[in-house]
Amino acid sequence: LLTSASLDLVIRTTRNRVTTLTMNMPDRFNGWTFSMMGALRDAFEVAASADETQVVVLTGCDPYYSAGVNLGGTLRLAHPKKLHRMIAEHNQNLFDMFLDFPKPILAAVNGPAIGASVTSATLCDAIIASENATFSTPFARLGVVPEGCSSILFEKILGEENAERMLGEEGWVPKGKDALEAGL
């Protein structure tokens, strides 16, 4: 069930069998804190079982689509093994939410998308990008490995060269039009 916190963090509207889930934390760039990820999970669970939902559109309150995982809002000091296990479990749960969803999901990227919000968008059935959209995957710059199936999926979607440009040292951040031309 949706909690009152979930209702505040993710706005759910349904019209003509299309349910729009709008991430609603613009002061934090719709970043994925534990609370936001829980609210998204709750909203996806409701949409998955709702007869009135045929397709889900995921978007963010302007001006950002999502700044991705908010490390300050998710990481806690812990023993390295425990911290690694916690990160792996949360990433698995997050990406499984997209992979296992029983209905089509469209990512409506209305502004900057960073990290996990980009990689999860590629797990959706389609991406719709506004002129304000940008797609940033700063993994190499942060010294972390690409996540969310991106090390495999990006090459299939974008081709080897563009996948390397986005995930590698160059850190290419395509805008909506560039992303369209690249196949994203």
Side-chain angles (χ1 to χ4, degrees):
L1 286 175
L2 289 173
T3 64
S4 60
S6 297
L7 292 172
D8 294 335
L9 292 175
V10 177
I11 300 168
R12 181 180 183 268
T13 58
T14 301
R15 182 175 174 206
N16 298 327
R17 300 181 53 84
V18 176
T19 296
T20 302
L21 303 177
T22 305
M23 295 174 278
N24 185 32
M25 199 165 45
D27 58 325
R28 304 285 302 268
F29 309 113
N30 303 316
W32 292 354
T33 60
F34 277 133
S35 297
M36 176 61 84
M37 288 187 282
L40 282 169
R41 184 193 63 245
D42 291 349
F44 271 92
E45 285 177 5
V46 169
S49 62
D51 291 336
E52 71 272 10
T53 299
Q54 189 172 7
V55 65
V56 168
V57 175
L58 179 62
T59 193
C61 276
D62 285 333
Y64 267 67
Y65 173 72
S66 176
V69 175
N70 177 319
L71 296 177
T74 56
L75 294 180
R76 303 287 182 260
L77 289 178
H79 186 276
K81 284 185 181 183
K82 183 178 179 181
L83 184 60
H84 180 268
R85 185 174 49 253
M86 186 267 311
I87 290 169
E89 287 173 8
H90 283 281
N91 278 352
Q92 184 74 44
N93 292 336
L94 173 68
F95 295 112
D96 282 349
M97 181 174 70
F98 288 88
L99 291 168
D100 297 336
F101 194 72
K103 300 173 184 178
I105 305 172
L106 305 177
V109 181
N110 57 307
I114 302 170
S117 70
V118 175
T119 57
S120 63
T122 64
L123 300 175
C124 294
D125 295 280
I127 299 172
I128 304 163
S130 78
E131 292 180 5
N132 298 324
T134 57
F135 298 87
S136 175
T137 52
F139 308 119
R141 194 169 58 243
L142 295 172
V144 297
V145 297
E147 34 78 321
C149 308
S150 60
S151 60
I152 295 170
L153 195 55
F154 273 41
E155 188 172 324
K156 287 182 178 183
I157 295 171
L158 301 165
E160 185 177 350
E161 182 180 332
N162 284 332
E164 176 58 31
R165 289 182 70 199
M166 281 189 77
L167 296 174
E169 295 298 321
E170 180 182 341
W172 179 48
V173 180
K175 294 183 179 182
K177 184 179 179 187
D178 300 325
L180 174 65
E181 291 172 1
L184 190 59

